[in-house]
Amino acid sequence: MIRWLLRAVVAAGLLGSAWVHYVVWRDWASETDVVGQLFLVNVVAGVVIAVAVLVWHHWLPVLAAIGFGLATLGAYVLSLTTGFFGVSEQFTTQAELWGVITEVACVVFAVPLLLNREGTDR
């Protein structure tokens, strides 16, 4: 039961991050060369990985969820500090807050799934 709840929270984090990236892409990122395309990649990847986490009880989609969360958070931290492909953020919007929350959830709730793989295909 706990493993299923963890999977559901990880999938919700992935879908939430995908939604945030879609909204931001629609608002302004679609007009940005590299970042706009990367936001669309995040939208698709978030949905695909979320489905995989829910239906394929294997460690690979869980690892992908962790990688997704860390890579997306890393790109966001770069945009806050040094800039990321010409984009500099300031952490002032609701979308930025929800993006951080959903991506942290991907990592925090997927790590226990990865470390305790009882009852999964290995």
Side-chain angles (χ1 to χ4, degrees):
M1 179 67 175
I2 290 175
R3 292 185 59 75
W4 176 249
L5 183 60
L6 287 171
R7 286 184 183 283
V9 172
V10 170
L14 289 160
L15 293 173
S17 178
W19 180 253
V20 166
H21 281 88
Y22 174 71
V23 168
V24 174
W25 177 83
R26 206 180 59 215
D27 287 346
W28 64 264
S30 62
E31 300 168 6
T32 307
D33 289 335
V34 175
V35 173
Q37 295 166 351
L38 291 175
F39 271 53
L40 284 181
V41 168
N42 268 23
V43 171
V44 173
V47 172
V48 169
I49 297 169
V51 170
V53 164
L54 291 175
V55 300
W56 186 24
H57 294 190
H58 193 270
W59 60 270
L60 280 174
V62 175
L63 184 62
I66 294 169
F68 176 93
L70 290 175
T72 306
L73 282 171
Y76 182 63
V77 167
L78 283 174
S79 76
L80 287 172
T81 55
T82 62
F84 186 72
F85 292 104
V87 173
S88 295
E89 293 290 339
Q90 297 178 349
F91 200 72
T92 57
T93 68
Q94 288 285 325
E96 290 170 296
L97 175 63
W98 283 111
V100 170
I101 289 170
T102 57
E103 290 146 12
V104 167
C106 291
V107 176
V108 168
F109 293 102
V111 166
L113 280 172
L114 186 66
L115 295 178
N116 183 5
R117 297 188 309 220
E118 293 177 19
T120 62
D121 298 330
R122 295 177 192 207

